[in-house]
Amino acid sequence: MDTIKNITIVADSNIASLDEFFNPSMLGQTSTQSVNIVSVAGRDINAQLLADLQPDVLLIRSVTPVGEALLANNQSVQFVGSATIGTDHVDQNYLATHNITFANAAGCSKHSVAQYVLTAILALRPQCWQQSMTLGIIGLGNIGSTLAKYASELGWQVLGYDPLLPASNMNNASFEQVLSQSDVVSLHVPLTDKKSTDKKAKSAKEAENINDDYATRHLINAETLAMMPAQTMLINSARGPVIHASDLEADIERTKRQVVLDVFEHEPQIDEGLLSKLAIATPHIAGYTLEGKLRGTQIIYDALCEKLTVTPTQSMHALLPLNMFLWSELKAHPDRLIKFYDIMQDDAALRNKTIDGQVNGTDFDGLRRDYHLRREWQF
Ligand SMILES: NC(=O)c1ccc[n+]([C@@H]2O[C@H](COP(=O)([O-])OP(=O)(O)OC[C@H]3O[C@@H](n4cnc5c(N)ncnc54)[C@H](O)[C@@H]3O)[C@@H](O)[C@H]2O)c1
Ligand SMILES: O=C(O)[C@H](O)[C@H](O)COP(=O)(O)O
């Protein structure tokens, strides 16, 4: 791609600061070269649009599925960047076999999501500021391990389960122990699927380094929910289908469990039956801080610069206003939580969109598109 004169980029309009990062000067272009950036809603990026525009670069977030259906007739795309941590919407094997470079934004919002989880717990159980409790964490990667650090700052015990990492003082329990012995269980796994006998699908999983003995789709279902005492809170800010939605609804009906969902199995449509039973519900915004979103853009911008063999010159730090949100201040003044993050406002905004027994996809997406990005607390 380093020989391309003019670069055409199709990008999800929800990517933060697109124009500040992806312009001729920041992409090392000379005055005779241009960067043409076409930004559209992520769900509107389709094969026809790519055929019409013939972009060199595709920049997405989590709502654009990327694989054969999108790229079968592609003659132009050489780089796909997803400004997200999750990659379940991208067929990475397809990209690799078609010689298309892929980058995602690993870890970009790890503090934001951990702070979302902490806020949810402390909003529902303010006594946890003072009292120790046991936090169960399923998946101890970037977000899970960051959450564990906040938990230890608050003097909470952590029971962690991650079968793909070595045992440690954090990775210290079985799946059953986490579910049955925690006061709160928080999920931080990628969405992955079970083994396929289809050879092609199997090698795709190998290429993406997914160990499907530990597939996470419906990890939380009627059987595993039955391992959790009724008073155990459950939080999902990973991916919706990690929890079987109708099993969860039946479980809440039976146990009156406190459940916090930022992600939903049938997102972006949300059924009121489930929504009305949740303690807190938000529209997939756990990672939506200014810092989390800009870091996502920065990571894919750096990767594109590498592909173009140019030195990155834009830095998110030049774009960030002063941040006054200090974790040390909040820790000393728990009563300021609502000023740091008013999670119940996000909850109310989602519930207010209920019409005829559901929140429709357009309204769910609208809440995310127009979200007033909060600030990440400085840890
Ligand atoms: N709600 C949001 O706004 C938001 C924001 C960012 C990320 N996410 C989601 O959170 C997920 C986790 O993010 P991360 O940065 O921690 O990812 P990560 O890749 O750093 O960590 C995921 C961890 O899960 C572990 N894991 C995989 N299968 C498991 C299983 N069956 N049981 C237990 N552990 C398992 C992996 O070994 C890994 O350590 C992402 O994949 C993404 O889908 C959501
Ligand atoms: O995986 C991620 O990084 C998050 O789920 C991300 O915040 C999703 O946001 P979206 O791409 O849908 O805007």
Side-chain angles (χ1 to χ4, degrees):
M1 192 147 70
D2 39 344
T3 55
I4 289 177
K5 263 193 147 285
N6 303 314
I7 302 173
T8 298
I9 301 177
V10 166
D12 182 328
S13 48
N14 271 359
I15 295 176
S17 299
L18 265 176
D19 293 335
E20 286 78 4
F21 281 91
F22 300 96
N23 62 53
S25 140
M26 296 303 164
L27 290 173
Q29 305 294 286
T30 66
S31 55
T32 56
Q33 295 168 316
S34 69
V35 173
N36 174 27
I37 181 149
V38 182
S39 71
V40 292
R43 292 190 204 278
D44 294 340
I45 297 175
N46 56 38
Q48 187 59 52
L49 183 81
L50 300 192
D52 292 345
L53 297 173
Q54 296 287 313
D56 309 288
V57 172
L58 180 58
L59 303 178
I60 53 165
R61 292 190 55 89
S62 72
V63 298
T64 308
V66 174
E68 191 166 7
L70 183 72
L71 296 171
N73 298 320
N74 169 62
Q75 313 284 319
S76 62
V77 175
Q78 297 172 54
F79 177 93
V80 175
S82 184
T84 59
I85 293 181
T87 55
D88 47 284
H89 55 300
V90 178
D91 183 341
Q92 291 184 55
N93 185 56
Y94 183 87
L95 296 185
T97 55
H98 291 78
N99 213 15
I100 299 171
T101 306
F102 175 67
N104 75 309
C108 64
S109 58
K110 64 181 184 179
H111 279 279
S112 312
V113 178
Q115 291 167 9
Y116 170 95
V117 173
L118 276 189
T119 304
I121 297 169
L122 292 164
L124 293 172
R125 299 192 183 170
Q127 69 275 20
C128 293
W129 279 111
Q130 285 87 29
Q131 284 170 20
S132 183
M133 64 113 167
T134 302
L135 174 63
I137 305 179
I138 299 187
L140 293 163
N142 283 308
I143 298 172
S145 62
T146 303
L147 178 62
K149 286 185 196 134
Y150 284 99
S152 87
E153 287 262 313
L154 290 169
W156 299 346
Q157 307 299 314
V158 170
L159 280 182
Y161 169 73
D162 191 323
L164 306 179
L165 292 177
S168 67
N169 60 350
M170 219 189 331
N171 195 11
N172 55 5
S174 67
F175 183 55
E176 291 74 11
Q177 282 170 327
V178 173
L179 295 185
S180 62
Q181 296 175 21
S182 303
D183 297 301
V184 177
V185 171
S186 193
L187 306 174
H188 299 290
V189 293
L191 176 62
T192 55
D193 280 295
K194 283 244 179 288
K195 204 166 252 159
S196 167
T197 44
D198 170 3
K199 256 191 183 163
K200 206 170 135 200
K202 204 175 161 195
S203 70
K205 288 184 194 311
E206 278 158 11
E208 288 171 33
N209 202 16
I210 291 170
N211 184 337
D212 57 11
D213 288 342
Y214 299 104
T216 62
R217 186 178 296 273
H218 292 168
L219 183 69
I220 302 297
N221 54 37
E223 197 185 328
T224 52
L225 283 162
M227 296 175 192
M228 298 175 67
Q231 66 276 15
T232 300
M233 185 192 299
L234 175 63
I235 305 178
N236 188 10
S237 61
R239 281 291 180 268
V242 173
I243 299 184
H244 190 294
S246 53
D247 285 2
L248 178 67
E249 200 177 328
D251 170 80
I252 304 174
E253 196 116 76
R254 190 175 55 80
T255 61
K256 310 288 174 242
R257 180 185 314 291
Q258 283 181 314
V259 175
V260 177
L261 295 187
D262 180 54
V263 289
F264 300 81
E265 180 164 21
H266 306 298
E267 186 179 316
Q269 278 89 31
I270 314 299
D271 180 63
E272 191 185 14
L274 176 60
L275 184 59
S276 64
K277 295 180 184 69
L278 299 173
I280 297 179
T282 51
H284 197 155
I285 47 69
Y288 272 26
T289 60
L290 194 50
E291 285 78 0
K293 269 202 146 182
L294 272 181
R295 214 174 280 119
T297 310
Q298 176 88 57
I299 294 172
I300 58 168
Y301 162 76
D302 290 348
L304 178 58
C305 287
E306 191 181 333
K307 172 83 177 170
L308 293 168
T309 58
V310 300
T311 307
T313 44
Q314 183 58 284
S315 160
M316 62 180 275
H317 300 292
L319 305 173
L320 277 172
L322 187 66
N323 187 327
M324 306 284 278
F325 292 88
L326 304 179
W327 163 243
S328 55
E329 181 197 327
L330 179 60
K331 231 179 92 178
H333 302 279
D335 55 304
R336 294 183 190 165
L337 180 65
I338 203 166
K339 290 191 198 133
F340 275 65
Y341 176 28
D342 187 356
I343 197 170
M344 297 319 290
Q345 200 178 347
D346 285 349
D347 170 273
L350 180 59
R351 290 180 204 269
N352 284 342
K353 293 291 181 191
T354 310
I355 304 167
D356 295 337
Q358 64 157 14
V359 175
N360 66 46
T362 307
D363 284 339
F364 188 88
D365 284 347
L367 286 171
R368 309 184 74 219
R369 184 193 57 230
D370 302 333
Y371 190 72
H372 180 74
L373 294 177
R374 49 184 207 275
R375 300 305 299 271
E376 203 170 76
W377 319 335
Q378 306 300 293
F379 186 62

